[in-house]
Amino acid sequence: MALKATIYKAELSIADMDRNYYETHQLTMARHPSETDERMMVRLIAFAIHANEALTFTKGLFDVEEPDLWQKDLTGAIELSIEVGQPDEKVILKACGRSEHVYVYSYSATSHIWWKGLANKVERCKNLTVVDLPAEATEQLGKMAQRTMQLQCTIQDGQIWLTDGSTTVEVGREVLKSER
């Protein structure tokens, strides 16, 4: 018998002063049985960083052919592809070949080891940005996960704050590789 996804709903109010983007999104996220709360919340942070009306969650772990989030133009071409975790080089190279821009958000304490083994293999990808999120912050995000959430996200000067009204988590970013 196949395991089913757990559905999470979030009302996410975003105040992104770096992009002058202010919007509230009603999000429905399917959490794969093998996915942790921490990973799901990193997907939510990635959404907040790149939020716009065309950005959507995909089937993600349910379909290995799709990234965790993507943004397509009106013709169906992939403008933005976002992967969460520590994807292997094949996944990254395929995404770079299919998408205008590719972002990878790693968040584990072992991310630097993963990146050290991968950096030379994806250096030629000019449309790739790799960002590491601090493991301590993403662990705190995982503890905020609820089946129904009302969240506020503020982004200013590259810093991210996510709050549910009682807990606030500051999430820094370290860019390991940026587009050229």
Side-chain angles (χ1 to χ4, degrees):
M1 179 168 74
L3 297 172
K4 294 183 180 176
T6 304
I7 303 301
Y8 286 75
K9 294 193 178 276
E11 180 181 284
L12 178 63
S13 297
I14 301 169
D16 186 341
M17 286 160 258
D18 293 348
R19 295 189 302 144
N20 290 320
Y21 182 85
Y22 307 92
E23 195 67 53
T24 297
H25 294 268
Q26 302 297 328
L27 303 174
T28 301
M29 298 179 293
R31 195 182 109 201
H32 189 274
S34 69
E35 185 175 34
T36 63
D37 285 343
E38 180 182 15
R39 186 180 191 284
M40 181 189 66
M41 294 300 285
V42 171
R43 286 194 294 135
L44 187 113
I45 285 292
F47 181 92
I49 293 168
H50 299 278
N52 70 53
E53 61 282 342
L55 185 64
T56 59
F57 292 99
T58 66
K59 295 176 184 170
L61 293 175
F62 288 98
D63 185 347
V64 295
E65 295 296 315
E66 294 182 359
D68 291 298
L69 296 105
W70 63 18
Q71 176 183 319
K72 292 183 173 184
D73 67 15
L74 296 175
T75 68
I78 304 170
E79 295 175 320
L80 174 63
S81 178
I82 300 172
E83 294 282 353
V84 170
Q86 298 177 355
D88 65 25
E89 95 182 80
K90 290 178 185 175
V91 170
I92 293 172
L93 294 174
K94 184 174 183 178
C96 288
R98 295 172 57 192
S99 308
E100 190 175 332
H101 304 281
V102 177
Y103 279 79
V104 174
Y105 287 94
S106 62
Y107 60 91
S108 168
T110 61
S111 290
H112 289 284
I113 297 167
W114 161 79
W115 180 243
K116 187 177 180 182
L118 186 70
N120 290 337
K121 298 174 184 175
V122 297
E123 187 57 37
R124 69 180 183 272
C125 300
K126 299 193 183 327
N127 59 339
L128 174 65
T129 300
V130 180
V131 179
D132 185 44
L133 305 177
E136 305 80 34
T138 60
E139 288 170 12
Q140 291 176 347
L141 290 175
K143 293 175 185 171
M144 290 175 68
Q146 303 289 322
R147 295 286 300 272
T148 303
M149 299 177 275
Q150 285 191 310
L151 303 167
Q152 294 80 40
C153 183
T154 304
I155 302 173
Q156 183 176 13
D157 298 328
Q159 289 299 105
I160 305 163
W161 294 271
L162 187 72
T163 184
D164 61 5
S166 62
T167 303
T168 300
V169 177
E170 181 178 355
V171 183
R173 296 182 264 186
E174 180 186 354
V175 177
L176 302 176
K177 181 191 182 317
S178 58
E179 282 189 358
R180 287 187 254 145

